[in-house]
Amino acid sequence: MTSLTESFKNVGVSRAYGEPIRLDGKELVPVALVSFGFGGGTEGGDPDAAGSGGGGGGFVFPLGVYTHDDGGRLTFRPNPLSLTACLVPLVCAVGFALRGALRARR
């Protein structure tokens, strides 16, 4: 457990915002949604029991980049693929809600 704690000490803001990249004379700062989770357990709460274990996992979801626009202002440019992936559940939820409202109206 201690080794897991040490290896994931820096997970957070430093992982969500990547190192600045220069591309075509512009500086880009990548932004991502980062999530990690860990768990463990034992059989019946007994730490010496044969049925004990643990695990963990995580994901990194690229959201877009921060860059300067032509006027020099800092702007966020979303990743179109990620934006689409985030909007699909929202559009489905709105569709189901509208369908339920129309059925209730009948």
Side-chain angles (χ1 to χ4, degrees):
M1 189 63 157
T2 304
S3 66
L4 275 176
T5 305
E6 289 300 318
S7 56
F8 287 98
K9 243 182 192 174
N10 295 326
V11 172
V13 174
S14 63
R15 297 289 186 241
Y17 295 95
E19 293 293 321
I21 302 167
R22 292 209 57 84
L23 183 66
D24 292 333
K26 289 190 174 187
E27 187 174 57
L28 307 173
V29 178
V31 180
L33 173 64
V34 180
S35 179
F36 289 94
F38 301 96
T42 60
E43 185 177 334
D46 181 8
D48 296 324
S52 61
F59 70 90
V60 178
F61 192 72
L63 297 177
V65 296
Y66 277 108
T67 186
H68 291 282
D69 64 7
D70 294 333
R73 294 180 306 178
L74 187 65
T75 58
F76 179 74
R77 303 207 42 171
N79 177 346
L81 184 60
S82 296
L83 187 62
T84 302
C86 290
L87 287 178
V88 167
L90 177 66
V91 170
C92 288
V94 169
F96 284 128
L98 284 174
R99 184 177 73 176
L102 292 174
R103 282 186 179 175
R105 188 169 182 214
R106 287 185 195 178

